[in-house]
């Protein structure tokens, strides 16, 4: 595995293939996409063209950035349409979810998690697990749009208090409420062994 990026050239964004019930989620995705393009950072994501996924990809490309979609063949007609997939800057069709997740990890220099469902949660928790095991030190961010990730924050706090997060120094996802602050925070944190500050999730627990 690539354990530490030399520079931030791409960010993997995990998010829902549905729009969610709060319009703020789609707005956050659009803001993040525009910010990434402004900083010359490519989007690596699950390839969906609907919901929050579609919003972030559209915004990146509308602002002149590059959207790299990675999607299993069996999801092509569920999370996207084949015609819409053709508009992405780059498309990779994988045979299964395992290959998809591995390719997303390899292509990304950092990770941002927008609101989403079980799949979104599973993806970022796996990345956190790999960090805990010392497999990477890539920056990780929870985009805490209107407190969406507060329940997870509380659960992680409970896990830490009960003695189950035993290597917290290896898991330092940032929790950032203001989406405009995410890309600058990632750029500032890259290469640091301690992100510090009030946005350091595990350190707060």
């Amino acid at each position: 595995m690539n354990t530490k990026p030399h520079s931030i050239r791409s960010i993997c964004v995990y998010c829902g293939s549905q729009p969610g019930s709060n319009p703020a989620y789609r707005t956050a995705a659009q803001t993040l996409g525009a910010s990434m393009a402004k900083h010359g950072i490519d989007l690596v994501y699950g390839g969906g063209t609907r919901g929050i996924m579609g919003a972030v990809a559209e915004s990146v490309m509308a602002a002149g950035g590059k959207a790299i979609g990675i999607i299993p063949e069996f999801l092509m007609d569920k999370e996207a349409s084949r015609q819409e997939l053709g508009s992405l800057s780059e498309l990779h069709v994988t045979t299964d979810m395992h290959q998809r997740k591995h390719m997303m990890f390899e292509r990304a220099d950092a990770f941002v998690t927008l609101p989403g469902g079980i799949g979104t949660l599973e993806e970022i928790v796996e990345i956190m697990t790999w960090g805990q095991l010392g497999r990477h030190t890539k920056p990780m961010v929870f985009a805490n749009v209107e407190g969406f990730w507060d329940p997870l924050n509380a659960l992680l706090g409970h896990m830490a208090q009960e003695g189950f997060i035993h290597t917290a120094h290896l898991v330092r996802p940032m929790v950032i409420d203001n989406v405009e602050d995410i890309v600058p925070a990632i750029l500032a944190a890259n290469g640091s062994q301690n992100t510090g500050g009030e946005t350091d999730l595990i350190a707060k627990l």
Side-chain angles (χ1 to χ4, degrees):
M1 287 184 178
N2 178 16
T3 60
K4 190 174 185 177
H6 296 292
S7 61
I8 303 297
R9 300 175 299 273
S10 61
I11 294 175
C12 176
V13 177
Y14 298 127
C15 56
S17 60
Q18 301 297 318
S21 60
N22 190 336
Y25 303 151
R26 181 176 179 85
T27 299
Q30 293 169 331
T31 300
L32 177 63
S35 178
M36 288 173 60
K38 176 182 176 181
H39 287 86
I41 296 174
D42 295 341
L43 166 68
V44 175
Y45 84 119
T49 58
R50 299 166 185 161
I52 308 299
M53 280 179 136
V56 68
E58 289 169 6
S59 297
V60 166
M61 292 188 294
K66 184 176 180 181
I68 302 166
I70 303 173
I71 188 169
E73 186 172 8
F74 77 92
L75 284 180
M76 289 179 69
D77 296 317
K78 293 181 179 179
E79 295 184 351
S81 73
R82 294 174 189 261
Q83 180 178 356
E84 290 172 325
L85 285 170
S87 67
L88 296 179
S89 310
E90 191 175 320
L91 176 66
H92 299 271
V93 180
T94 65
T95 57
D96 54 34
M97 291 292 288
H98 178 77
Q99 184 183 17
R100 176 203 217 180
K101 291 191 292 183
H102 183 74
M103 185 179 293
M104 290 170 77
F105 175 84
E106 291 294 335
R107 293 294 299 264
D109 297 320
F111 305 90
V112 173
T113 308
L114 287 163
I118 295 172
T120 301
L121 179 61
E122 186 268 339
E123 288 172 320
I124 189 57
V125 168
E126 183 172 53
I127 295 300
M128 291 171 64
T129 302
W130 291 352
Q132 182 173 244
L133 295 174
R135 302 302 293 164
H136 78 91
T137 57
K138 298 177 181 182
M140 298 173 284
V141 174
F142 282 99
N144 198 32
V145 183
E146 298 198 2
F148 183 87
W149 294 112
D150 285 346
L152 178 62
N153 189 350
L155 176 60
L156 290 170
H158 175 66
M159 289 176 175
Q161 290 168 8
E162 295 299 316
F164 289 107
I165 301 182
H166 54 83
T167 51
H169 64 289
L170 297 176
V171 186
R172 292 191 174 93
M174 295 177 281
V175 180
I176 300 177
D177 298 337
N178 188 353
V179 176
E180 286 98 346
D181 295 336
I182 291 177
V183 173
I186 287 174
L187 295 174
N190 183 42
S192 172
Q193 292 300 308
N194 187 352
T195 56
E198 294 182 352
T199 59
D200 187 349
L201 172 61
I202 298 299
K204 293 191 299 181
L205 302 179

